[in-house]
Amino acid sequence: MGTISPSRTPEKKEFFLLLLLCLVFSLGAAGQVTQVTITGTIKDETGTPLSGVSIRVKKDTTKGTLTDAIGYFILRLPAGPTALTISSVGYLSQDIIVDKNTTVNAVMTGDRRNLTEVLVTGYSTQLKKDITGSVVAVDMKSLRAIPDGSADRALQGQAAGVNVINSGVPGVASKISIRGITSFGSSDPLILIDGVPSDLNNIAADDIESVQVLKDAGAAAIYGVRGSNGVIIITRKKGKAGAPVISYDGYVGVQTPRSGNALNQLNSPDFARLFKIAFPSTVLFQNGLPDYIYGGSGGIGTGMAGDPQVDPSKYNLDPANPANNYLIQKVNKTGTDWYHALFKPALTTNNHISVSGGTDRSSYLLSLGYLNQQGVVLETWLKRYSVQLNTQFKPSRNFRLGENLYLSYKDNPAFNNQGEFATMANLYKMEPIIPLYDIKGNFGGTFAGPELGSDANPVAAQKTSYNNRRRIWDVTGNVFAEVDFLKHFTVRTSFGGTLDQQYNQTFDFTAYWDKQGYASPNSYNEGSQYTSNTIWTNTLTYNNEFGRHRIKLVGGSEAIRNYGRNISGGGLGLFSSDYDYLVLNNASTNLTLTGTAFQNTLFSLFGRADYAFNDKYLLSATVRRDGSSVLGSDKRFGVFPAFSAGWRISNESFMKD
């Protein structure tokens, strides 16, 4: 049996050690991958650097980066040819091949399909050039340039055929009509905010990304009976990929009433002269302008300075026992400027701050708003606090989900400027000789004197309305999910709605200044109402192009439920006008309490087909079947079809030049 010579063992050990080291070194070298550095700057067509642009490996979307604030990026990749996809919201994506150390300076082209030429039209989007119905997109730059706290009033003049009538009262929704009055009933259009029926008056223009107006049956028929007066589709702003962006927008302004004699009112001498011509037997102006006028338990009439009937010691005001009143007021011989007594310059402040950002897989936007709009009429205002939050996620290339949430709180006392005996009507009916205040500093009015009419001092009505309250809470939003499958199909589901809560109080003092209301006891009313609207929408979309043909099919269902309750009460003769004591139990007479409730549902099936041949000839057909619970079983369902066609003559060969 052989033996190993001791003299040869160290040599073998050295050999095996060297072999092991070579093996480890070779394995380490084989495990190393050569890296290359890709840098560059991404700009738009005008040369402006773009931030937040996504640069991703096409076959492995987990590898990539975003451009910084100056459009610069740096990306390290394994050596060898690699396909990159450059993409950003609102721009056409582009693919490039990089190899070795490369500098990429790309220019991104605006994607017209995602910007000005893509409109939201009935549960989907369409190229503007392919729309055969009457649809108009509002210029958002012009809309936001109007310093108004509510988007409905800012909409005036922004779209042909859309009329906005604003009452001028802070917080009151404008009357919107599309192509005039179209019904003996309501002519209000359907307003959808992110797919949910909502009130345009509650949202500021700063929170809106786009506004589309569907004006004719061809465009609005997919909304069925609800779209009979036209449809306004609002899309709120969303977060975009990129580093967090903080923005602030605000303004301060003053609304100023008209100067001069805004209502063309006569002065006191001219009014007296004209009055005597019309009524020759007048008591008020039988001997020209008197110094004083009076009314009460001791009679009613006129007097000159020093007459016993207008002796200040006789003055008495007892609202609790109006039969004891004896009011004296000094005639305003130049004429009371009722307009400028009621209307004053009003300050408006609007503040809006937002934070947004995200990646190519998720995005977010949070905005806070505060509006303080004082009305030019005394004791009128709107204070609105709002929060908007939306997030979107893209767990995979074919799956998207997100939510939209909008909350608002409004402090907005009620004011009626339309009634026959409301403040505005009283304003132009008050005689110029009546002073704002009587000889004791209480409100002047029609009670203290003959032939003064029967209307109320409008300044008194407003200055005594400080106990009026109206508080409104609104929540609007939805959650949605979308899935792309089989290359050309997209299914989407959305569930959302609105919740509204309103509480209001009004307290009317005994109107001792008013000939009709001087003997009426004070009155108090309060009420609360709750309404909710839920909507569940499901759609399936097929979109494909083959050869010279382009086709898009949309089908879906929608279930809507409306529910509401309200309760209100009132009473007369409260023992105190202090706000802390304004409760129904403190009314001494005529205590009333009423309540109502309602509920209705609507279920619909709808579909639309859009076809384009050779990018010249366009056909569109829409149908919707609505079923409403408010109708009898034999009239519950209605079908609303529409058909339209278009010819893009600019693409014909004879129009080339």
Side-chain angles (χ1 to χ4, degrees):
M1 186 172 180
T3 60
I4 298 177
S5 171
S7 62
R8 297 181 61 87
T9 300
E11 295 177 0
K12 288 187 177 181
K13 287 183 178 179
E14 292 173 0
F15 172 78
F16 283 114
L17 181 59
L18 180 62
L19 182 63
L20 181 61
L21 290 174
C22 291
L23 180 61
V24 171
F25 179 81
S26 62
L27 288 174
Q32 290 180 351
V33 178
T34 304
Q35 296 280 317
V36 297
T37 301
I38 311 298
T39 61
T41 302
I42 310 299
K43 300 180 179 180
D44 64 13
E45 296 164 291
T46 66
T48 302
L50 296 174
S51 63
V53 176
S54 171
I55 297 94
R56 299 284 174 186
V57 176
K58 189 172 185 179
K59 293 185 178 181
D60 186 358
T61 57
T62 62
K63 295 180 180 179
T65 188
L66 300 172
T67 58
D68 61 17
I70 60 173
Y72 179 79
F73 74 92
I74 181 169
L75 183 63
R76 291 181 175 85
L77 298 172
T82 304
L84 297 179
T85 297
I86 303 175
S87 62
S88 182
V89 175
Y91 295 90
L92 292 171
S93 299
Q94 51 184 286
D95 295 335
I96 60 172
I97 304 296
V98 296
D99 191 10
K100 301 180 181 179
N101 289 353
T102 304
T103 299
V104 176
N105 293 311
V107 176
M108 303 200 73
T109 303
D111 185 354
R112 303 302 178 189
R113 294 173 300 176
N114 291 331
L115 293 175
T116 57
E117 288 195 319
V118 161
L119 305 182
V120 180
T121 57
Y123 306 100
S124 67
T125 59
Q126 285 182 278
L127 288 171
K128 184 178 180 180
K129 64 178 183 178
D130 288 346
I131 296 174
T132 54
S134 181
V135 180
V136 62
V138 174
D139 183 354
M140 292 307 301
K141 185 177 293 185
S142 299
L143 184 71
R144 298 190 189 104
I146 299 174
D148 200 302
S150 299
D152 58 348
R153 287 180 285 194
L155 189 62
Q156 175 62 41
Q158 301 298 322
V162 179
N163 298 315
V164 181
I165 301 175
N166 176 24
S167 69
V169 180
V172 174
S174 300
K175 178 69 176 179
I176 302 176
S177 62
I178 298 176
R179 291 186 168 177
I181 305 300
T182 57
S183 170
F184 288 108
S186 172
S187 290
D188 297 336
L190 172 64
I191 298 175
L192 299 172
I193 301 180
D194 289 328
V196 177
S198 303
D199 185 358
L200 187 56
N201 180 52
N202 284 339
I203 186 171
D206 292 323
D207 287 320
I208 297 177
E209 181 69 30
S210 66
V211 179
Q212 277 86 44
V213 182
L214 315 186
K215 298 195 292 185
D216 70 347
I222 197 168
Y223 290 103
V225 65
R226 297 184 304 149
S228 60
N229 295 322
V231 183
I232 299 177
I233 300 177
I234 310 293
T235 302
R236 289 194 182 99
K237 288 182 178 179
K238 305 292 189 295
K240 298 180 181 180
V245 176
I246 300 176
S247 64
Y248 169 80
D249 182 32
Y251 62 82
V252 177
V254 177
Q255 292 177 288
T256 305
R258 293 179 60 185
S259 59
N261 191 355
L263 298 181
N264 268 338
Q265 289 182 308
L266 295 174
N267 58 33
S268 292
D270 289 342
F271 177 79
R273 186 163 50 251
L274 182 63
F275 195 96
K276 192 169 184 179
I277 294 174
F279 305 99
S281 59
T282 174
V283 174
L284 182 58
F285 301 118
Q286 191 61 49
N287 300 310
L289 280 173
D291 290 335
Y292 293 90
I293 45 182
Y294 65 91
S297 56
I300 185 171
T302 66
M304 305 302 289
D307 289 351
Q309 298 92 332
V310 294
D311 184 351
S313 64
K314 290 189 173 183
Y315 183 96
N316 184 60
L317 174 60
D318 186 1
N321 300 285
N324 297 330
N325 286 350
Y326 190 91
L327 307 182
I328 305 170
Q329 51 192 359
K330 188 175 183 180
V331 169
N332 189 329
K333 293 191 175 183
T334 59
T336 300
D337 186 353
W338 290 105
Y339 178 83
H340 289 103
L342 181 66
F343 284 80
K344 300 294 183 182
L347 185 70
T348 297
T349 61
N350 190 25
N351 299 274
H352 187 271
I353 187 169
S354 66
V355 181
S356 63
T359 67
D360 59 334
R361 291 296 185 91
S362 65
S363 63
Y364 64 90
L365 182 144
L366 171 65
S367 70
L368 305 175
Y370 170 64
L371 170 70
N372 186 342
Q373 180 184 6
Q374 296 296 314
V376 290
V377 173
L378 298 174
E379 299 297 329
T380 60
W381 69 82
L382 166 64
K383 296 179 182 179
R384 185 183 65 208
Y385 306 82
S386 62
V387 178
Q388 178 180 226
L389 173 66
N390 62 65
T391 54
Q392 298 182 84
F393 303 94
K394 190 178 180 182
S396 67
R397 186 180 63 180
N398 300 326
F399 181 40
R400 298 169 296 279
L401 72 160
E403 56 78 28
N404 302 288
L405 179 65
Y406 186 81
L407 304 94
S408 69
Y409 164 71
K410 295 196 298 185
D411 176 5
N412 181 219
F415 175 73
N416 177 17
N417 68 344
Q418 304 293 320
E420 180 183 358
F421 300 104
T423 301
M424 292 295 102
N426 290 331
L427 173 65
Y428 63 79
K429 290 189 287 185
M430 291 297 288
E431 296 182 11
I433 68 167
I434 302 174
L436 282 174
Y437 302 97
D438 63 20
I439 62 172
K440 295 296 185 178
N442 297 310
F443 290 112
T446 56
F447 171 76
E451 301 173 355
L452 299 181
S454 57
D455 298 290
N457 180 336
V459 176
Q462 285 306 111
K463 285 194 172 184
T464 56
S465 67
Y466 53 82
N467 277 330
N468 293 354
R469 304 284 193 277
R470 186 173 63 161
R471 309 289 171 82
I472 305 170
W473 296 262
D474 290 299
V475 180
T476 303
N478 69 333
V479 293
F480 66 89
E482 292 181 337
V483 178
D484 301 326
F485 65 98
L486 298 180
K487 192 175 180 179
H488 301 294
F489 290 88
T490 300
V491 63
R492 174 185 171 95
T493 184
S494 170
F495 182 82
T498 61
L499 296 174
D500 300 311
Q501 178 76 42
Q502 182 177 143
Y503 183 76
N504 57 76
Q505 298 169 281
T506 59
F507 179 76
D508 295 322
F509 286 80
T510 296
Y512 61 83
W513 55 82
D514 180 1
K515 181 163 290 187
Q516 293 194 78
Y518 78 96
S520 300
N522 63 41
S523 64
Y524 174 69
N525 292 273
E526 67 176 309
S528 178
Q529 67 179 36
Y530 163 82
T531 59
S532 69
N533 164 275
T534 54
I535 179 170
W536 184 27
T537 306
N538 299 279
T539 59
L540 176 64
T541 303
Y542 171 78
N543 198 352
N544 195 10
E545 293 186 34
F546 45 94
R548 294 185 293 178
H549 308 274
R550 184 167 65 251
I551 188 170
K552 185 173 186 178
L553 305 175
V554 179
S557 66
E558 192 164 66
I560 300 173
R561 175 181 178 268
N562 299 304
Y563 177 79
R565 300 184 70 89
N566 71 76
I567 187 170
S568 61
L572 304 176
L574 280 74
F575 70 87
S576 173
S577 62
D578 189 301
Y579 180 76
D580 292 336
Y581 295 98
L582 297 185
V583 294
L584 291 175
N585 285 344
N586 286 339
S588 59
T589 60
N590 288 62
L591 183 62
T592 61
L593 188 66
T594 61
T596 60
F598 71 89
Q599 177 175 302
N600 58 73
T601 58
L602 181 75
F603 181 75
S604 308
L605 299 173
F606 55 85
R608 187 180 72 218
D610 296 300
Y611 172 74
F613 175 73
N614 203 25
D615 208 27
K616 298 180 185 178
Y617 312 109
L618 312 172
L619 297 174
S620 179
T622 303
V623 65
R624 182 176 180 121
R625 183 175 186 263
D626 281 336
S628 174
S629 66
V630 301
L631 301 175
S633 58
D634 58 334
K635 300 290 185 181
R636 183 157 293 171
F637 296 95
V639 178
F640 305 88
F643 177 81
S644 57
W647 175 25
R648 188 171 297 121
I649 193 173
S650 58
N651 284 0
E652 295 289 355
S653 58
F654 58 81
M655 292 291 292
K656 294 297 183 183
D657 297 330

